[in-house]
């Protein structure tokens, strides 16, 4: 949802300016195109150069610094902006925005933009509680702007209080929610989607386990794509990847934990995508203390794990079930067999022996199999793009 979005970060002169630098990095990581405007006070805390390097764009600090004769820079920036994030928002900029003051680059651009505004106040508790600040915040809310609640914690003044800037990841999440709430075309809105990801971990003892090469990247990219199409996503993940924002993430280790987390939500799910590499077997017994070297060969007896996809295939009522088949040979035969045997509605097959596809890669190449339909080949692309194609194909089949 933030991908390719034009986000302008308006930085004003609070002590938390340093955290705004990390926020810019996080917006870039989420795929946004970022520009930064700073007040004169903000530049007292951090040099514009920091933001220039992080945003890969020149930083706007002066309304009258008109670099391009064909454009008036504050209007140009205001029109370019699709989401305005004011962070840290000082009591001063809050006062200006609430009262129509436009006397520098930041306040003038904010006056000229029609983009949604996310205001992130950060200040001393007494400044925050001042009736003028409170009245201004109420006024801004009345204008339809989104205001983030400041955190409570250790303030720069050396004591506990309310007024801390929330952590950058929370701000990215709030920005995403705001963009989502304004989006007009969300084909998966109100749909519940469960996605599993990663290779399960089957413990032998507290320090050893059996797992596989799955990184969880395909599942995580699917979860992000579904989120950006408006779905309520539950990501049940055995992966070590960073948890994506804007969804319910359930971390699990073993196949049985994964099954229980998925089945908890199965009844209300509309689509379930099993992108996880679930271990077929687990050690029959798991030692509760580290096993000691025995100075002789040992055997670990394995017992079969539950087949999560097949269980859902038996129990499904309305759910659209998507399985993955990661194979090294006879891909088509195994995929078609899986589709039938597990009563799935779609199987996404990939040949993990290929160099640009499969485990731990950032790219993939897949073939989508559905009952009574010709297979659909999706050529090599990033996992994020492949994820979108899979979801569009599923939506087409479900007639969403
Ligand atoms: C060390 C220092 C820290 C400050 N921290 C904050 C702050 O966290 N929040 C705030 O609203 N003002 C803070 N101020 C006051 C603002 O910098 C001041 O009101 C300034 O006029 C704001 O200008 P601006 O809104 O144009 O950036 C601080 C000032 C100093 C000197």
């Amino acid at each position: 949802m933030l991908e390719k979005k034009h986000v302008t970060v308006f930085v004003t002169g609070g002590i938390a300016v340093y955290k705004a630098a990390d926020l810019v990095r996080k917006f870039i990581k989420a795929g946004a195109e970022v520009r930064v405007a700073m007040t004169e006070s903000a530049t007292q805390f951090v040099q514009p150069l920091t933001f220039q390097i992080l945003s890969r764009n020149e930083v706007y600090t002066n309304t009258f610094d008109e670099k391009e004769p064909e454009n008036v820079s504050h209007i140009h920036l205001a029109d370019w902006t699709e989401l305005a994030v004011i962070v840290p928002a000082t009591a001063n900029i809050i006062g200006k925005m609430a009262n129509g003051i436009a006397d520098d680059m930041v306040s003038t651009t904010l006056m000229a933009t029609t983009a949604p505004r996310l205001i992130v106040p950060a200040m001393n508790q007494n400044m925050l509680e001042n009736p003028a600040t409170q009245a201004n915040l109420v006024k801004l809310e009345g204008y339809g702007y989104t205001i983030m609640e400041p955190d409570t914690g250790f303030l720069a003044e050396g004591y506990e209080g309310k007024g801390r800037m929330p952590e950058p990841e929370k701000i990215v999440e709030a920005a995403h929610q705001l963009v989502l709430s304004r989006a007009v075309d969300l084909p998966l809105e109100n749909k519940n989607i469960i996605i599993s990801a990663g290779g399960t971990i089957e413990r032998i003892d507290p320090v050893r386990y059996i797992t596989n090469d799955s990184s969880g990247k395909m599942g995580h990219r699917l979860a992000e794509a579904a989120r950006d199409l408006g779905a309520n996503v539950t990501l049940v993940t055995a992966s070590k990847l960073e948890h994506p924002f804007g969804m319910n993430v359930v971390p699990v280790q073993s196949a049985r934990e994964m099954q229980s987390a998925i089945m908890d939500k199965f009844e209300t799910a509309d689509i379930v995508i099993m992108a996880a590499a679930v271990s077929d077997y687990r050690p029959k017994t798991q030692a509760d203390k580290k096993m000691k070297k025995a100075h002789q060969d040992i055997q670990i007896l394995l017992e079969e794990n539950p087949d999560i996809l097949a269980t859902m295939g038996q129990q499904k009522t309305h759910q659209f079930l998507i399985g993955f088949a990661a194979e090294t040979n006879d891909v088509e035969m195994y995929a078609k067999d899986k589709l039938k045997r597990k009563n799935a509605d779609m199987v996404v097959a990939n040949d993990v022996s290929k160099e640009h596809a499969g485990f731990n890669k950032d790219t993939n190449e897949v073939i989508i199999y559905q009952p009574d339909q010709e297979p659909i080949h999706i050529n090599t692309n990033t996992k994020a793009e492949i994820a979108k194609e899979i979801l569009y194909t599923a939506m087409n089949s479900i007639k969403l």
Side-chain angles (χ1 to χ4, degrees):
M1 192 101 273
L2 291 173
E3 206 170 318
K4 298 201 170 67
K5 203 88 200 156
H6 292 180
V7 177
T8 302
V9 177
F10 294 90
V11 185
T12 64
I15 193 71
V17 171
Y18 71 98
K19 285 207 227 168
D22 189 32
L23 176 66
V24 168
R25 218 174 49 83
K26 290 209 157 54
F27 273 132
I28 298 267
K29 202 168 161 217
E33 287 182 36
V34 181
R35 295 191 180 175
V36 178
M38 298 175 79
T39 60
E40 170 67 29
S41 310
T43 65
Q44 300 285 326
F45 291 88
V46 173
Q47 289 285 319
L49 183 63
T50 304
F51 288 99
Q52 179 180 310
I53 290 165
L54 293 172
S55 68
R56 297 163 206 155
N57 276 307
E58 202 170 332
V59 173
Y60 299 80
T61 52
N62 183 347
T63 331
F64 293 97
D65 185 11
E66 295 287 354
K67 289 196 175 58
E68 299 167 0
E70 67 275 22
N71 293 316
V72 175
S73 81
H74 66 275
I75 300 296
H76 193 58
L77 179 61
D79 290 346
W80 178 87
T81 303
E82 291 171 330
L83 173 68
V85 184
I86 302 96
V87 58
T90 55
N92 185 48
I93 192 68
I94 288 167
K96 285 191 194 177
M97 287 175 78
N99 294 288
I101 296 169
D103 64 355
D104 64 3
M105 184 67 195
V106 165
S107 51
T108 308
T109 310
L110 283 168
M111 182 75 90
T113 190
T114 54
R117 293 146 175 89
L118 175 65
I119 303 171
V120 189
M123 64 196 72
N124 165 276
Q125 178 163 329
N126 296 335
M127 286 175 86
L128 182 67
E129 285 174 355
N130 186 297
T133 309
Q134 287 301 313
N136 287 332
L137 287 170
V138 169
K139 217 167 166 185
L140 291 174
E141 222 156 21
Y143 294 160
Y145 304 164
T146 304
I147 296 158
M148 268 189 95
E149 190 72 16
D151 278 354
T152 300
F154 193 71
L155 300 174
E157 293 78 5
Y159 53 84
E160 291 280 317
K162 187 170 178 181
R164 274 174 63 86
M165 178 180 140
E167 291 309 312
E169 45 271 34
K170 289 268 171 261
I171 300 172
V172 174
E173 194 160 345
H176 176 262
Q177 284 303 335
L178 178 54
V179 173
L180 204 61
S181 71
R182 303 288 168 102
V184 278
D185 182 25
L186 292 172
L188 290 178
E189 196 169 13
N190 299 325
K191 297 287 170 205
N192 298 322
I193 302 198
I194 306 173
I195 297 169
S196 71
T200 58
I201 285 175
E202 307 297 338
R203 289 252 157 232
I204 298 169
D205 71 11
V207 296
R208 301 180 182 93
Y209 54 78
I210 299 171
T211 188
N212 57 62
D213 280 331
S214 170
S215 62
K217 283 182 185 169
M218 193 65 242
H220 280 229
R221 296 296 88 82
L222 275 160
E224 287 161 355
R227 172 199 68 195
D228 290 351
L229 291 167
N232 305 319
V233 178
T234 298
L235 173 64
V236 180
T237 180
S239 162
K240 292 191 172 68
L241 293 174
E242 201 176 308
H243 291 178
F245 59 81
M247 63 186 72
N248 173 28
V249 181
V250 186
V252 293
Q253 281 206 335
S254 68
R256 284 183 297 178
E257 281 172 25
M258 182 168 275
Q259 182 182 38
S260 148
I262 291 173
M263 294 319 285
D264 264 3
K265 304 256 175 193
F266 184 62
E267 212 174 294
T268 53
D270 297 292
I271 302 175
V272 184
I273 309 179
M274 281 297 295
V278 183
S279 302
D280 291 331
Y281 295 94
R282 64 171 180 274
K284 197 170 172 71
T285 54
Q286 281 142 40
D288 52 9
K289 292 199 175 68
K290 184 185 167 197
M291 288 165 66
K292 288 290 167 206
K293 197 168 174 177
H295 299 288
Q296 61 184 31
D297 292 350
I298 59 161
Q299 287 189 332
I300 297 172
L301 188 62
L302 301 178
E303 68 181 344
E304 209 176 340
N305 261 331
D307 187 328
I308 307 175
L309 185 59
T311 309
M312 288 191 288
Q314 283 159 11
Q315 295 186 12
K316 74 175 180 188
T317 49
H318 62 282
Q319 298 86 348
F320 190 84
L321 284 189
I322 306 178
F324 266 71
E327 306 293 348
T328 54
N329 55 287
D330 299 312
V331 176
E332 176 161 357
M333 185 189 76
Y334 285 124
K336 284 183 169 167
D337 173 64
K338 193 166 191 176
L339 191 60
K340 210 164 158 189
R341 221 168 12 91
K342 310 221 173 176
N343 197 24
D345 300 289
M346 178 185 284
V347 163
V348 181
N350 57 354
D351 184 342
V352 290
S353 65
K354 287 193 174 169
E355 204 184 313
H356 53 271
F359 291 145
N360 212 8
K361 308 272 168 52
D362 291 318
T363 53
N364 212 351
E365 177 192 342
V366 301
I367 305 174
I368 297 178
Y369 295 92
Q370 297 178 89
D372 309 320
Q373 286 192 42
E374 283 300 308
I376 300 167
H377 198 125
I378 304 180
N379 289 331
T380 308
N381 210 330
T382 60
K383 284 188 171 168
E385 288 302 318
I386 299 269
K388 284 184 207 161
E389 291 291 333
I390 294 169
L391 288 171
Y392 287 134
T393 309
M395 286 181 323
N396 201 23
S397 297
I398 312 170
K399 309 262 180 299
L400 284 178

